[in-house]
């Protein structure tokens, strides 16, 4: 078995639209904290010098958006109403785990210059080129090459997304999870708003997300290294989301699994 890590890091040193704060409590600070708590709450005195190396354990205190790093968007991210089921969109902790451990295929759109939107025709042509017929519940991955802009503003402004026809095309195949290495499965905000100003067509407003108000599916955003996949299909993607109660998204450590 061979695993290929397709995840991007949550990295407080990198620029993000929503800043990440990451406070590391060192093992020595952890010891001092423990001694203080034990004294104050239990009246127990302990000399931290008696610990091996004078250290206890480290702790990471973080404040960050669920859309930082590689993550899964849940249906409740798309809006407060669902046009299916009981009308309530599910949160990330309520989705079936087996959606996130499935055969996957990757489509190469690295030749498309962003910002731009892909159509159903683009998807169909690329599927024909790789010679793969997707099966229901497969995970579709879009390799846009956006991760080459990682750490710069261009990562948030110059990527490519799906239009409504491309989104419906993938969902019509029975796909429930669509992944991208870009910041979003939709085109950049500026590209969408310029398109709307020119057409006044509501269908160009965040179609890859808003279609999720009527058709239940998830998306993986901010994948990395899709170019490292040696084959466009014939592997399993594991991308189990972190279980955050009531959240519209959850981080994932996505990896491709190739069996020997
Ligand atoms: Zn997201």
């Amino acid at each position: 078995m061979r695993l290929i890590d397709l995840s991007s890091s949550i990295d407080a040193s990198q620029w993000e639209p929503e800043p990440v704060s990451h406070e590391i409590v060192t093992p020595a600070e952890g010891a001092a904290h423990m001694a203080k708590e034990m004294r104050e709450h239990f009246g127990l005195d302990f000399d931290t010098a008696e610990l091996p190396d004078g250290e206890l354990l480290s702790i990471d205190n973080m404040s960050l958006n669920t859309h930082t790093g590689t993550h899964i968007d849940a249906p409740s991210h798309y809006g407060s109403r669902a046009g299916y089921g009981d009308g309530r969109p599910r949160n990330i902790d309520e989705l079936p785990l087996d959606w996130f451990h499935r055969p996957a295929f990757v489509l190469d759109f690295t030749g498309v210059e962003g910002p731009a939107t892909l159509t159903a025709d683009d998807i169909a042509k690329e599927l024909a080129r790789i010679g793969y017929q997707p099966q229901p519940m497969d995970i579709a991955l879009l390799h846009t090459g956006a991760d080459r802009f990682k750490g710069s503003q261009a990562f948030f402004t110059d990527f490519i997304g799906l239009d409504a026809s491309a989104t419906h095309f993938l969902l019509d195949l029975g796909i429930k999870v669509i992944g991208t290495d870009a910041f979003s499965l939709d085109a950049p905000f500026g590209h969408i708003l310029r398109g709307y100003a020119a057409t006044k067509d509501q269908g160009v407003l965040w179609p890859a997300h808003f279609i999720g108000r009527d058709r239940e599916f998830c998306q993986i955003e901010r994948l990395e290294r899709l170019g490292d996949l040696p084959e466009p299909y014939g592997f399993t993607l594991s991308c189990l989301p972190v279980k955050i109660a009531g959240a519209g998204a959850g981080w994932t450590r996505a990896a491709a699994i190739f069996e020997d």
Side-chain angles (χ1 to χ4, degrees), residues 67 71 73 77 209 221 249:
H67 301 267
H71 66 275
D73 284 354
H77 173 54
H209 283 81
E221 290 165 332

Side-chain angles (χ1 to χ4, degrees), residues 129-148:
R129 188 190 68 81
I130 67 169
Y132 183 63
Q133 178 54 51
Q135 301 300 304
M137 304 305 293
D138 274 4
I139 298 176
L141 301 174
L142 310 174
H143 180 205
T144 73
D147 50 340
R148 72 185 182 280

Side-chain angles (χ1 to χ4, degrees), residues 137-207:
M137 304 305 293
D138 274 4
I139 298 176
L141 301 174
L142 310 174
H143 180 205
T144 73
D147 50 340
R148 72 185 182 280
F149 296 126
K150 198 190 153 192
S152 78
Q153 204 104 1
F155 180 70
F156 303 95
T157 54
D158 288 5
F159 54 90
I160 62 175
L162 298 183
D163 79 354
S165 72
T167 309
H168 282 302
F169 182 92
L170 288 168
L171 298 181
D172 287 348
L173 293 167
I175 285 166
K176 290 289 188 189
V177 178
I178 306 172
T180 178
D181 55 4
F183 178 64
S184 174
L185 194 59
D186 270 300
F189 280 49
H191 183 79
I192 286 177
L193 293 180
R194 279 190 295 274
Y196 181 68
T199 62
K200 290 288 166 204
D201 171 10
Q202 266 196 334
V204 307
L205 296 174
W206 290 273

